[in-house]
Amino acid sequence: MAELSPSSEPSAEPSAEPSAEPAAAPGVPRRRPAERTKASAADSRVHNRALVLSTLYHRGAMSRSEIARAVGLTAPTVSTLVADLEGDGLLADIGPRKGSRPGKPANLMVIDESAAHILALDLSADGQFDGAVLDLRGKVVARARMPYADAVGEDAAERVIQLVEELARLAPGRVLGIGVGSPGIVGDGGVIHYAGHLGWRELPLAARLSARFGVPAHIGNDVNAAALAVLRFREAKTQNLIVITIEHGVGAGLIVGGELVEGEQFAAGEIGHVTVVEDGEPCVCGHRGCLEPLIDAAELRARLAGRDAAGRAEVLAAAGRALGIALAPITSVLNLNEIALLGPPDLVEGPFLESAAATVRARTYAPISAALTMRSLAGDSDLILLGAAGLVLSGELGVW
């Protein structure tokens, strides 16, 4: 039971003509290019609905005329859209603005935050899957947890379905969709191409959940989901940021220009196996001197065992320097303005964070480092859930 709490084989023939671009390695997913099609009236309506919803989501209560000016649509078009969205239960009329000027005041429209709910899942923790029911503003209204112990493959996938069943029972009303932050490589259409410790390969989780529960499902990489949550829910003051986690291995979620960067093989942010120590210790990936064995939480705890305070500070500062060495060129090339670190607070905060920040600043151009904020969000356990909910808000309402 879930624990609940309120709130192809290669050809032997060589190619006659060499390709101008390298072929993808066998088994490596590639992002499908977007198909170009002629826009239809239905496309325009969906786009315009998203414009109205996004404007209200980010700006708050507005009159119809204010919405029309903000989105650049005619007043009749906005009135029709607002009427449709009211009919869908997504918008509410809250009456005129207080202190209005003389004359008939215009009524204000707002997004009804409780009109629909999102079932969000975080599959990143060892031994358990976490889930929550959230309203349209990301407020958690209920939680559930599903232990999975050593379950892998189909058994683990079935535990995910059981958790969604529990969340669906907890939802107080209409469900807009299901959002999932999963470890591993997650590709087009919510297919989990590979999640090693869960034994998943080419798992069409989004399609399976959607078919089972009758609502849209959106799946993303867990660290990418956390990065989206930092951007939208944790007061990021920039559109260029990176989120680093050391909780289970080392991963990164990258936002550039306010957009998530996933990469053509859906593997952007895999910095754990970047070499930071020439001729360093062997790594499980086959290389030497990789970042992950130097800063992963489990590896750090093993090196800290039995050390006094001074020894712990030295180990953590050295790990922070290793991270800073890896992050400095990324920060410079992308002109990042924020780096957020996730992981156990006792490891991330203090010497580790301070050393990483100092190393990045020492190795980057002054105008870039001067604008850089590096902070800890260690212990923020809801980031992946919020990011998963954001995938649904973006995919279904266009509000991100």
Side-chain angles (χ1 to χ4, degrees):
M1 284 293 295
E3 302 169 20
L4 304 181
S5 62
S7 193
S8 158
E9 215 167 284
S11 169
E13 294 292 328
S15 173
E17 287 188 26
S19 173
E21 59 183 70
V28 176
R30 292 288 292 267
R31 181 179 297 280
R32 295 193 299 267
E35 295 183 5
R36 296 190 177 189
T37 57
K38 184 177 180 180
S40 65
D43 292 332
S44 296
R45 179 176 176 275
V46 169
H47 174 73
N48 290 339
R49 277 171 59 98
L51 273 179
V52 171
L53 285 169
S54 182
T55 300
L56 288 170
Y57 194 86
H58 294 292
R59 298 193 187 185
M62 299 175 72
S63 69
R64 290 167 177 78
S65 60
E66 289 171 335
I67 296 170
R69 287 193 295 272
V71 300
L73 297 173
T74 66
T77 297
V78 167
S79 292
T80 299
L81 291 168
V82 167
D84 286 347
L85 290 166
E86 276 192 286
D88 290 344
L90 293 172
L91 297 188
D93 187 326
I94 60 171
R97 183 180 284 112
K98 292 181 180 179
S100 297
R101 293 189 295 270
K104 184 178 179 181
N107 284 10
L108 301 178
M109 305 304 301
V110 295
I111 288 181
D112 184 348
E113 298 168 4
S114 61
H117 291 81
I118 297 166
L119 312 184
L121 282 73
D122 172 3
L123 309 185
S124 68
D126 289 333
Q128 70 183 38
F129 298 140
D130 294 307
V133 181
L134 298 91
D135 70 13
L136 298 182
R137 287 287 178 187
K139 179 184 177 182
V140 175
V141 299
R143 295 182 187 270
R145 176 176 294 165
M146 177 63 64
Y148 69 89
D150 298 323
V152 294
E154 283 299 316
D155 288 342
E158 182 59 29
R159 301 293 176 90
V160 173
I161 291 172
Q162 291 172 19
L163 177 54
V164 178
E165 288 174 343
E166 294 285 358
L167 293 171
R169 282 192 283 270
L170 290 170
R174 169 188 171 191
V175 173
L176 180 66
I178 302 166
V180 180
S182 171
I185 297 176
V186 183
D188 287 328
V191 175
I192 301 176
H193 294 293
Y194 178 73
H197 76 282
L198 292 172
W200 290 342
R201 286 183 180 272
E202 305 306 324
L203 175 67
L205 186 58
R208 188 174 296 186
L209 291 175
S210 184
R212 174 71 175 77
F213 296 98
V215 296
H218 299 267
I219 319 293
N221 171 267
D222 53 354
V223 188
N224 286 344
L228 288 171
V230 171
L231 178 68
R232 301 300 185 188
F233 291 105
R234 290 298 182 263
E235 299 180 347
K237 295 178 173 59
T238 178
Q239 297 292 293
N240 285 14
L241 63 91
I242 191 168
V243 173
I244 308 292
T245 178
I246 66 168
E247 186 82 55
H248 307 292
V250 176
L254 180 62
I255 306 286
V256 177
E259 300 289 338
L260 180 67
V261 177
E262 293 181 288
E264 193 162 352
Q265 279 74 43
F266 308 99
E270 288 292 337
I271 68 168
H273 298 287
V274 171
T275 299
V276 292
V277 179
E278 293 294 337
D279 299 320
E281 294 297 318
C283 179
V284 293
C285 73
H287 296 157
R288 303 180 70 93
C290 290
L291 178 64
E292 183 165 306
L294 299 175
I295 69 170
D296 167 62
E299 297 281 353
L300 275 177
R301 291 205 187 282
R303 295 203 300 277
L304 291 170
R307 294 179 180 267
D308 60 15
R312 287 178 58 87
E314 183 179 351
V315 169
L316 291 170
R321 281 194 296 275
L323 176 59
I325 290 169
L327 286 178
I330 300 171
T331 302
S332 291
V333 169
L334 298 176
N335 191 184
L336 299 179
N337 290 112
E338 181 171 329
I339 299 171
L341 302 186
L342 310 181
D346 63 312
L347 298 180
V348 169
E349 294 168 358
F352 180 84
L353 174 59
E354 293 162 6
S355 178
T359 303
V360 172
R361 295 186 192 284
R363 290 169 172 258
T364 52
Y365 187 43
I368 293 174
S369 63
L372 177 66
T373 297
M374 196 163 182
R375 60 171 167 159
S376 167
L377 289 174
D380 192 336
S381 59
D382 282 346
L383 282 177
I384 294 173
L385 292 172
L386 286 168
L391 296 175
V392 178
L393 287 170
S394 176
E396 298 308 311
L397 302 182
V399 301
W400 273 25

